Amino acid sequence: MAGPVPVARSLNDIYTPDALSSQEKRWSNLLSKFQSTYGHPAEFVARSPGRVNIIGEHIDYSLYSVLPMAITADTLLAVSTDLAPTKEGTYKIQIANVQETKFPSHEFDIPYESVEIDATVHEWTNYFKSGLRGALELLRKKHGVDFKPRSMQILMDGTVPAGGGLSSSAAFTSSSALAVMVANGEQTVDKTELTELAIVSERAVGVNSGGMDQSASVFSERGSALFVSFTPSLKARPVSFPKTDPELTFLIAQSFVTSDKFVTGPIHYNLRVVECSLAAAYLNAVLNPPGTRLPGDAAPLGISLHGFHETYFALREHVDNASSGLTVPQQLEELMSLTTKTLTKDEGYTREEIAAVLGVTVDQLNQQFTSRFPVRAERFKLRQRALHVFSEALRVLQFMTLLEDPAAHPAEDSVHTIEYNVSLGELLNKTQDSCRDAYECSCPEIDDLCGIARKAGSYGSRLTGAGWGGCSVHLVPADKVSAVREAWEKEYYSKLELTDEQKEAAVVVSRPGSGSALYFPE
Ligand code: NG1
Ligand code: MG
């Protein structure tokens, strides 16, 4: 799966046939608008899609594997680099958006040394700047610290709904980083390098995220989902769905409850990152021998539940080699029962209680866990969050077994196909229950959409992405898609004041799309 970002010879290489005609119109509009905006043609287009997460929610920043897939919606950046020389010591970035009223164009004279990003303002060009900053770090590694970036003229067209749980941010940062690499002369861009710099870049704009979105955006291959692992290093590989009859489709339904991670980070997303990191430290302090330190890892705050998982069983092997025979699913089952026995307080733990168990002062605790990204909470629900993470990591492995173990595949007859689809769907439903009850990242609207869909024929329905609003994903057999859509229209969407554009985007039938790509207009 590693290797360079592919150069698309035609839009056929990027989009599934059903999307092709609308995409051809969109791309030719982008390229002609580039010409009229800047007075010359674009040299290339960098493209990176949004993603929907099938299963593995809120566990990527705990470094457990996930199963997303790219969707058709993507960020396009048309680029040219032949600009007039600029002010001494700076290069110029001119960036415009096809939706110019919503996203006004900007011009920046950026000093060679550094890219300033004011993450306190929610400015659309910040995402480009975060990709620019990440790419420059990589370019400096390759070409030396006094590398002089080139000026760029950019026209963007993004169709991933923002704040909708489909990773608009990752699509934008990944395509931006890709565009900067190519604008500065890189003939090929390695997918792993691009993903890693997109992950780091996204954290620069204030969201303490995991690496799922950027991996799915960069690595996905058309027709397949993507199994992404983060440790010991980032790996991604395509996973195909067995052919069933009726064919399985994934429906994505917007709740239209916007969940803006910038605003709610301190009580939602970033708080969960802190709770999971604290849970790892707490479990380590109680269940591993005194003085055991968790290995520093790629998690946002440097330690993770996965790190605890590995340390615990590595140390156990020295003690009793009984545990060495455990499979990962068995280890996860054991961790869930250990968690229940160790983290007994339902109402959660105060900073004082945690600091006492870790043997540090509250100031030291705050310094390590709650200074980087501010959180607002008196108590941290360590057990609930850890139980969700371990159980969700287990569901991902069970889902993968159903997809990849031929013994688990349905026999040709339809009865077994139904049973098979039901067992896939059941895992998705259990994820939704755990997100709602243990992780508390759902909302009534999403619960509603899921209930309506299940009644109308969906095998499995759940929130996708960060939650607290945004999108839901549903595993629906092809012959039930219209029934589910009608039920949503009647019982949910008809009660909202939706614009025609919103009505259009409310429900998307998602086919597994391709990841990042480059295109050089002839
Ligand atoms: P969304 O909200 O779809 O961008 C976020 C995180 C992911 C992952 C999911 C929950 C960002 C940029 N991405 O996805 O890393 O943690 O939530 O599984 O915050
Ligand atoms: Mg996002």
Side-chain angles (χ1 to χ4, degrees):
M1 271 305 285
V5 170
V7 175
R9 287 179 312 285
S10 78
L11 297 193
N12 257 313
D13 289 345
I14 298 176
Y15 299 106
T16 44
D18 55 299
L20 215 47
S21 62
S22 61
Q23 290 299 338
E24 273 156 3
K25 276 202 249 2
R26 175 180 172 229
W27 280 62
S28 63
N29 171 52
L30 175 71
L31 293 173
S32 56
K33 198 158 170 60
F34 188 95
Q35 171 75 42
S36 58
T37 305
Y38 294 114
H40 50 253
E43 288 162 34
F44 66 90
V45 178
R47 180 263 174 188
S48 231
R51 66 103 187 88
V52 63
N53 190 24
I54 299 169
I55 191 165
E57 212 65 80
H58 279 284
I59 60 174
D60 62 341
Y61 50 84
S62 292
L63 301 190
Y64 280 106
S65 304
V66 293
L67 187 71
M69 73 179 179
I71 56 174
T72 305
D74 57 14
T75 294
L76 303 181
L77 295 181
V79 180
S80 79
T81 60
D82 53 357
L83 261 70
T86 60
K87 269 183 354 211
E88 189 49 38
T90 70
Y91 56 104
K92 191 180 287 294
I93 297 291
Q94 292 173 325
I95 180 166
N97 193 303
V98 293
Q99 302 177 56
E100 49 203 335
T101 37
K102 206 167 162 191
F103 304 108
S105 58
H106 284 263
E107 181 164 315
F108 303 103
D109 289 317
I110 302 179
Y112 289 142
E113 306 72 44
S114 71
V115 186
E116 292 309 312
I117 300 178
D118 179 358
T120 58
V121 297
H122 201 175
E123 163 56 55
W124 75 279
T125 52
N126 275 355
Y127 283 104
F128 174 77
K129 284 185 179 174
S130 72
L132 168 66
R133 183 196 276 174
L136 290 188
E137 262 172 51
L138 191 52
L139 287 161
R140 292 229 154 84
K141 258 191 234 146
K142 288 174 185 281
H143 305 298
V145 284
D146 54 3
F147 174 78
K148 292 186 176 28
R150 301 187 63 176
S151 297
M152 295 168 72
Q153 292 170 312
I154 300 143
L155 179 62
M156 171 178 162
D157 177 7
T159 53
V160 187
L166 295 177
S167 295
S168 53
S169 44
F172 196 169
T173 36
S174 307
S175 52
S176 301
L178 177 59
V180 173
M181 298 296 286
V182 176
N184 282 284
E186 293 300 299
Q187 297 306 319
T188 61
V189 179
D190 177 78
K191 284 190 270 190
T192 306
E193 283 185 339
L194 177 63
T195 303
E196 283 168 348
L197 80 82
I199 292 170
V200 170
S201 307
E202 184 128 13
R203 288 185 186 161
V205 284
V207 182
N208 214 359
S209 76
M212 164 170 66
D213 306 346
Q214 298 83 358
S215 307
S217 187
V218 174
F219 280 103
S220 290
E221 290 182 7
R222 206 176 59 187
S224 303
L226 197 73
F227 184 68
V228 186
S229 311
F230 302 101
T231 173
S233 64
L234 179 69
K235 282 193 184 47
R237 67 176 174 82
V239 177
S240 50
F241 282 83
K243 288 276 160 284
T244 61
D245 176 26
E247 185 201 359
L248 282 176
T249 61
F250 284 100
L251 288 187
I252 301 171
Q254 285 285 353
S255 66
F256 291 112
V257 175
T258 48
S259 63
D260 182 334
K261 279 196 287 297
F262 287 94
V263 178
T264 61
I267 52 167
H268 285 158
Y269 190 89
N270 285 349
L271 174 56
R272 293 293 176 278
V273 175
V274 169
E275 287 177 309
C276 290
S277 309
L278 286 173
Y282 192 109
L283 291 169
N284 174 56
V286 174
L287 297 171
N288 283 331
T292 307
R293 293 181 62 76
L294 290 182
D297 59 28
L301 295 177
I303 58 169
S304 65
L305 284 167
H306 189 278
F308 163 69
H309 176 157
E310 281 190 323
T311 308
Y312 177 75
F313 285 103
L315 291 171
R316 276 278 303 280
E317 251 172 49
H318 290 305
V319 173
D320 64 0
N321 58 16
S323 71
S324 59
L326 292 181
T327 62
V328 176
Q330 289 166 330
Q331 291 177 352
L332 287 164
E333 298 276 7
E334 181 161 335
L335 289 172
M336 286 156 68
S337 70
L338 282 169
T339 299
T340 307
K341 285 185 214 126
T342 309
L343 291 162
T344 53
K345 294 189 73 172
D346 248 2
E347 68 278 23
Y349 294 79
T350 63
R351 285 176 172 76
E352 289 71 19
E353 288 166 333
I354 300 168
V357 166
L358 301 193
V360 297
T361 65
V362 171
D363 283 351
Q364 286 168 326
L365 189 83
N366 285 334
Q367 176 51 38
Q368 182 181 358
F369 292 99
T370 64
S371 57
R372 183 123 181 263
F373 293 91
V375 294
R376 257 200 324 276
E378 297 311 309
R379 293 178 173 284
F380 299 91
K381 294 188 173 180
L382 305 187
R383 186 186 75 242
Q384 294 89 331
R385 308 325 180 205
L387 281 181
H388 166 74
V389 170
F390 293 137
S391 65
E392 183 68 356
L394 178 53
R395 279 187 289 274
V396 171
L397 299 180
Q398 291 166 334
F399 199 90
M400 284 294 287
T401 303
L402 283 171
L403 292 187
E404 299 207 309
D405 176 355
H409 285 178
E412 289 319 305
D413 64 301
S414 60
V415 167
H416 287 96
T417 302
I418 302 262
E419 278 167 9
Y420 178 74
N421 297 344
V422 165
S423 43
L424 285 174
E426 246 158 34
L427 288 169
L428 303 180
N429 292 328
K430 289 209 181 85
T431 296
Q432 174 58 17
D433 292 346
S434 187
C435 284
R436 183 193 59 212
D437 303 334
Y439 221 66
E440 297 177 280
C441 65
S442 187
C443 66
E445 293 81 356
I446 291 260
D447 300 341
D448 223 3
L449 281 169
C450 292
I452 295 166
R454 290 183 191 132
K455 254 192 0 259
S458 162
Y459 287 120
S461 292
R462 63 180 211 81
L463 65 90
T464 185
W468 293 293
C471 269
S472 55
V473 64
H474 309 263
L475 183 63
V476 182
D479 59 354
K480 289 279 193 304
V481 168
S482 48
V484 172
R485 295 185 76 138
E486 275 152 33
W488 279 333
E489 176 50 36
K490 196 154 130 286
E491 301 172 45
Y492 187 83
Y493 293 119
S494 57
K495 296 174 183 157
L496 302 179
E497 300 292 311
L498 297 181
T499 64
D500 289 348
E501 188 194 358
Q502 283 177 316
K503 274 208 174 89
E504 200 39 47
V507 179
V508 168
V509 180
S510 176
R511 301 218 185 318
S514 58
S516 302
L518 288 165
Y519 180 77
F520 295 87
E522 57 285 342

